[in-house]
Amino acid sequence: MDSQRPVLYRNGSVYSPADPFATAMLVDGGTVAWIGGEHAAENLGGPGVRTVDLDGALVAPGFVDSHFHTTETGLGLASIDLSTCTSLADLLERVRAAAAAHEGPVFGHGWDESRWPERRVPTAGELDSASGGRSVYLTRADVHSAVVSGTLAASLGLAGLDGWNDGFLVRAAHTAARLATRALTPTDRAALQRAALAHAASFGIVAVVEMAAPHISPREDLEGLLALGAGDGGTDLPGVIPYWAEAVSSPEEVRSLLASFDGRLAGLAGDLNVDGSIGSRTAALRDPYSDDPGNRGHVFLDAPAVGAHLSAATAEGVQAGFHVIGDAGLDVVLAGLGEAERRLGIEAVRRSRHRLEHVEMTDDTAIAALVHFGVTVSAQPVFDSLWGHPEGLYAQRLGDERRGGMNRFGALLAAGVPVSMGSDSPVTPLDPWASVRACIEHSNPAEAVSARAAFIAHTRAGWRAAGAVNPMLGQLAPGSPASFAVWRVDELMVQTPDNRVQSWSTDPRAGTPLLPALDTENPPRCIETVHYGRTLFSEDGGSGV
């Protein structure tokens, strides 16, 4: 976008609470100056204004990915894509082909053995054979476990660590392998981060919430990401909202840690793991895994540690939070929140706006407690579309009854829990409209939510969950930041607020902004992404539509 001249977008559709029937928008620098219809737009053009013909395209607030791993996403883009593997033999063949194609270690990401007929992971010996003795490191889809070759295991001493099982790694063994394979040069790291952020921009994402943690990658990784300048509105990259997941136990530690990042952290939250994942059978459950009856998962932080972290952050008015997936893991977090309330009072806890990542298993009592404590849930809808169907991962690991109670977006929103949404990339692909669709088409119809509610959870709610200062971020109205994406869509529909009217009604009397129909032949295609008036992505490679 030419920042020296105002830009008038017209002849399209603008998703705006200011005017649900808007077809045009004027952007001046980094701000939306005007929104309205074609008749008024006629008077806003002229030699000093660049006019863009949208040709029916949709202009909508840019997406915020509320749970993102930038370097991991870059590594995933540069690794073998194993997400489409159909069998163990298929995975081994891809490793064999990669080893034949280039020298050096073999990295891959995205395998999910629950979809394979064998339903087992490769052994270290099988990876040695397929790779010709190379170092091989392949992360599972949830990135809470991996498989490695015997060559890599021997070089890192993995066989002597907790969580080693003939090439399959969880817990300490996985952390050691993960950190060793992320010992990147600053130049390599910056290239991966830029690639990941550019990829996000191509999907209409204007900001990502970086969930950095010392067990995922070294501190230098987050410092390097912040050094790129992403997020200040002065670069061609999506904004980065940084969290650091390191446990503390005193207000002094909170102040020291925040100061060490020059006050740039949004909070001490994110992937501070209370438990693990369903796929890797490390999420903490009240009842055992259906396909591993002796296993209830793992608790990595107990209630006293959780309570200490929350109390220390609350005392400083700092947002804290955790990764929690299993119902027993959530019990631990709620006990910790109760301890913080006893120490500092409920109002102090609520003011700190603590957040929890994932929260895949929760009952009505736990949801009521989340409301009580004023906690935000950061959820990942594509988890359900990938794993929630009757024959899927949840059914295998948990049985059908528990499967139906996973990812309760409808219940959370109905109870008043603030919910923001994202991808957990590289765990699920970057595709925000697919995530919105996953909300609409939830495997349990009782937990489905409207397209409008899902869209807000992927835009405005993401900013609010991270404590954005500007209350107009995430919407398009006069005076709001010019942070938006332009979409080519097959069909636009009116999402009505009245459940007596068809959910995708075309009746203009509904008076709500238009959203794309997501069940058409072609999904929405991003043709431009703009953040604070700066073009982050343009389909034609130029400066704008």
Side-chain angles (χ1 to χ4, degrees):
M1 178 181 291
D2 183 352
S3 60
Q4 302 303 310
R5 290 194 296 162
V7 181
L8 177 63
Y9 293 84
R10 59 181 303 186
N11 189 29
S13 180
V14 181
Y15 186 94
S16 172
D19 183 351
F21 307 110
T23 63
M25 178 174 76
L26 181 67
V27 173
D28 191 357
T31 304
V32 174
W34 171 88
I35 285 175
E38 289 303 306
H39 181 73
E42 291 285 354
N43 300 316
L44 296 175
V49 176
R50 183 167 73 89
T51 299
V52 173
D53 184 355
L54 292 169
D55 189 27
L58 170 69
V59 179
F63 285 108
V64 177
D65 193 312
S66 284
H67 192 116
F68 191 78
H69 300 281
T70 307
T71 303
E72 294 277 323
T73 297
L75 285 164
L77 293 171
S79 301
I80 312 171
D81 180 7
L82 303 175
S83 63
T84 57
C85 283
T86 57
S87 66
L88 174 59
D90 185 7
L91 178 140
L92 293 173
E93 181 54 39
R94 296 190 194 198
V95 170
R96 188 173 293 109
H102 62 80
E103 298 294 328
V106 176
F107 298 108
H109 168 70
W111 57 267
D112 180 356
E113 85 289 358
S114 72
R115 299 182 172 193
W116 303 345
E118 303 90 348
R119 290 191 179 172
R120 75 166 180 87
V121 302
T123 65
E126 287 172 328
L127 291 175
D128 282 329
S129 177
S131 67
R134 301 275 188 87
S135 289
V136 179
Y137 175 77
L138 312 175
T139 49
R140 195 181 185 282
D142 56 22
V143 203
H144 280 262
S145 59
V147 289
V148 298
S149 62
T151 300
L152 181 62
S155 69
L156 298 178
L158 300 179
L161 299 178
D162 173 55
W164 163 266
N165 184 8
D166 194 15
F168 178 67
L169 312 177
V170 292
R171 301 189 299 278
H174 183 225
T175 298
R178 191 177 195 175
L179 291 176
T181 56
R182 275 122 182 89
L184 303 164
T185 68
T187 299
D188 288 343
R189 182 183 296 115
L192 291 168
Q193 291 170 343
R194 283 188 171 276
L197 292 171
H199 185 61
S202 73
F203 284 90
I205 296 170
V206 297
V208 300
V209 180
E210 170 63 22
M211 295 300 182
H215 66 274
I216 295 175
S217 55
R219 179 190 172 104
E220 292 77 26
D221 186 85
L222 180 56
E223 292 173 338
L225 179 61
L226 295 177
L228 292 179
D232 60 6
T235 75
D236 59 354
L237 298 171
V240 173
I241 303 169
Y243 284 86
W244 182 247
E246 183 174 336
V248 295
S249 58
S250 70
E252 292 75 21
E253 287 182 82
V254 173
R255 292 193 295 270
S256 175
L257 199 50
L258 294 179
S260 72
F261 282 99
D262 298 323
R264 300 186 68 180
L265 295 179
L268 301 179
D271 276 343
L272 184 52
N273 290 357
V274 169
D275 65 352
S277 73
I278 300 295
S280 297
R281 299 186 186 88
T282 51
L285 308 183
R286 294 172 182 168
D287 298 310
Y289 284 88
S290 297
D291 59 355
D292 189 6
N295 180 15
R296 294 175 186 261
H298 299 272
V299 172
F300 301 118
L301 286 174
D302 61 17
V306 170
H309 182 78
L310 287 164
S311 296
T314 299
E316 292 297 308
V318 171
Q319 189 180 43
F322 305 90
H323 159 118
V324 58
I325 285 179
D327 48 8
L330 185 56
D331 290 341
V332 170
V333 174
L334 293 176
L337 283 161
E339 177 60 25
E341 178 184 5
R342 284 188 289 275
R343 293 185 188 183
L344 300 165
I346 188 59
E347 293 305 321
V349 172
R350 290 171 178 167
R351 280 196 301 271
S352 297
R353 304 173 299 100
H354 300 309
R355 62 184 287 162
L356 299 178
E357 309 302 313
H358 314 308
V359 193
E360 292 184 57
M361 299 180 72
T362 181
D363 58 22
D364 290 346
T365 300
I367 290 174
L370 295 173
V371 174
H372 172 73
F373 291 117
V375 171
T376 293
V377 168
S378 166
Q380 294 71 45
V382 176
F383 286 5
D384 180 74
S385 61
L386 286 176
W387 304 317
H389 55 89
E391 303 300 322
L393 173 71
Y394 292 151
Q396 294 174 34
R397 296 287 192 269
L398 305 172
D400 197 59
E401 183 176 352
R402 284 187 289 180
R403 175 193 69 83
M406 301 294 288
N407 299 302
R408 299 185 64 196
F409 311 138
L412 288 164
L413 287 166
V417 177
V419 178
S420 65
M421 294 179 172
S423 67
D424 198 6
S425 179
V427 175
T428 70
L430 282 177
D431 188 347
W433 287 117
S435 189
V436 171
R437 182 171 183 170
C439 293
I440 303 166
E441 299 177 353
H442 198 288
S443 61
N444 178 356
E447 298 300 340
V449 299
S450 72
R452 182 170 180 267
F455 182 71
I456 290 171
H458 285 83
T459 52
R460 290 175 62 188
W463 292 112
R464 290 181 176 180
V469 174
N470 189 333
M472 297 190 74
L473 276 165
Q475 58 183 312
L476 297 177
S480 69
S483 296
F484 58 90
V486 183
W487 300 91
R488 187 68 62 201
V489 300
D490 282 356
E491 188 176 359
L492 289 169
M493 310 292 275
V494 174
Q495 174 69 49
T496 70
D498 189 339
N499 61 15
R500 294 171 298 174
V501 182
Q502 184 179 345
S503 133
W504 290 110
S505 171
T506 56
D507 187 342
R509 292 173 298 177
T512 55
L514 298 165
L515 282 170
L518 299 177
D519 56 356
T520 59
E521 180 180 356
N522 301 301
R525 187 180 84 248
C526 185
I527 55 179
E528 184 180 35
T529 305
V530 174
H531 189 36
Y532 288 113
R534 292 177 177 266
T535 300
L536 309 184
F537 167 78
S538 178
E539 187 179 52
D540 64 6
S543 61
V545 173

